[in-house]
Every structure is written in C-alpha cells, then in structure tokens.
Amino acid sequence: MSPAQQAHGHDHVAADGWADRATDALAGAGYRRGGARAALIALLDEQRCALSASEIEQSLRDRDGRAVARASIYRILEELEELRMITRVEVGQGLARFEAAREEGHHHHMVCDACGQVIPFEDPELERSIQRLAKRVTFTVAEHDVVLHGACSDCRD
C-alpha cells in the first residue's frame, strides 16, 4: 500500500460513479481518453481524501508502475478542476491537494502543521451552522471547505 493509500484511506469509494462522470466530462469537453488520464481518475476515485500532486505521482508509480510526469498530472488536474470534477483543497504553506468532487459525503480537513498529515472529518452541526450564518447575513453559499490547522495525536505529545 502506498503512503497516500495509508494516509488517506484506500477505500474503493467508487460506488457513486464519479470516475465515469469525470471521464464523460473530459470527453464532452474534447479531451482525448489517454492512459495517464484514466490512471489518475481511477486513483482519485479510490481515495476518500485529498492528495497532493506529488502523492498522485508517487501513487501512480507504486500502483501501476506508471511514470506520469508532474506537468501532465497538473494539466489533468486543471482540466478536471475546470469541469468541477475535482476540488482543490488549500492546506497552507503553498500546498494544494485534490480530491474527487462527489455528490455525497462532503467533508472538511484537519492538517497537522508538524508532519503534514491531512485528516478528513464530517460534522453535521458545522454544516448547519454554515447554513444558519448564510441566512443571517443573506449570503448564498455556493461551496465551502473548512481547513483546521494544529497537531495530530502523534505530534502533539
């Protein structure tokens, strides 16, 4: 299991058909079906949380023996982001992570500032609070992501 799979949960969360929707969206936008795109989509489809471009690069090499250039990874991520098929998660220190934009299972992220671990979390009360805030300030929230910074259980000791 790759470090990305260990850290982010290699869960096979593909039940929602995200990979098919992403592939169709790319084809509909005129992008060719290529091996690197298919491999990257399959990888993101199996993750339950966001990966950095370097984690994607390493995971593709580990799982498929496939060397995909970092520039190609960024290009494919940009295409998927423009089509709103992935979400960019800014975790600070100039580092972005990317995850499949799923129709269900919205979550946020806790980032350990010491080791860099990213931990997904869900909190229904937080979601209700955001909706109450939006009503109170008459602001339509189209999307949101909460990133909490601190220390994980291993680093805070």
Side-chain angles (χ1 to χ4, degrees):
M1 189 177 286
S2 75
Q5 292 166 335
Q6 291 170 359
H8 302 291
H10 183 70
D11 278 356
H12 294 287
V13 289
D16 73 344
W18 178 84
D20 290 336
R21 288 195 315 279
T23 300
D24 291 347
L26 286 168
Y31 296 107
R32 294 188 333 243
R33 296 178 191 260
R37 280 189 185 89
L40 192 149
I41 288 170
L43 175 68
L44 289 179
D45 196 30
E46 294 173 354
Q47 304 302 311
R48 69 182 187 98
C49 195
L51 299 175
S52 68
S54 63
E55 288 171 328
I56 291 169
E57 180 180 21
Q58 186 62 49
S59 293
L60 291 173
R61 185 175 292 119
D62 289 349
R63 77 183 237 156
D64 298 336
R66 174 179 209 98
V68 178
R70 181 90 46 99
S72 295
I73 290 170
Y74 276 115
R75 186 182 66 251
I76 296 164
L77 291 170
E78 185 177 294
E79 294 163 0
L80 289 167
E81 188 176 17
E82 285 175 8
L83 296 168
R84 304 183 63 90
M85 293 307 305
I86 62 170
T87 301
R88 174 189 295 260
V89 179
E90 300 289 344
V91 294
Q93 301 162 346
L95 182 63
R97 293 177 174 264
F98 305 88
E99 63 188 356
R102 301 200 180 273
E103 294 178 347
E104 85 300 324
H106 177 73
H107 65 264
H108 299 287
H109 305 90
M110 295 180 284
V111 178
C112 179
D113 292 325
C115 71
Q117 180 181 11
V118 177
I119 305 162
F121 75 94
E122 295 179 21
D123 187 331
E125 183 56 35
L126 175 60
E127 298 301 324
R128 288 190 291 274
S129 294
I130 290 169
Q131 291 307 314
R132 283 193 304 272
L133 172 65
K135 288 178 185 173
R136 190 171 64 243
V137 297
T138 62
F139 184 82
T140 302
V141 176
E143 59 184 60
H144 67 276
D145 186 39
V146 175
V147 178
L148 304 176
H149 288 266
C152 70
S153 60
D154 292 338
C155 293
R156 72 172 168 229
D157 297 333

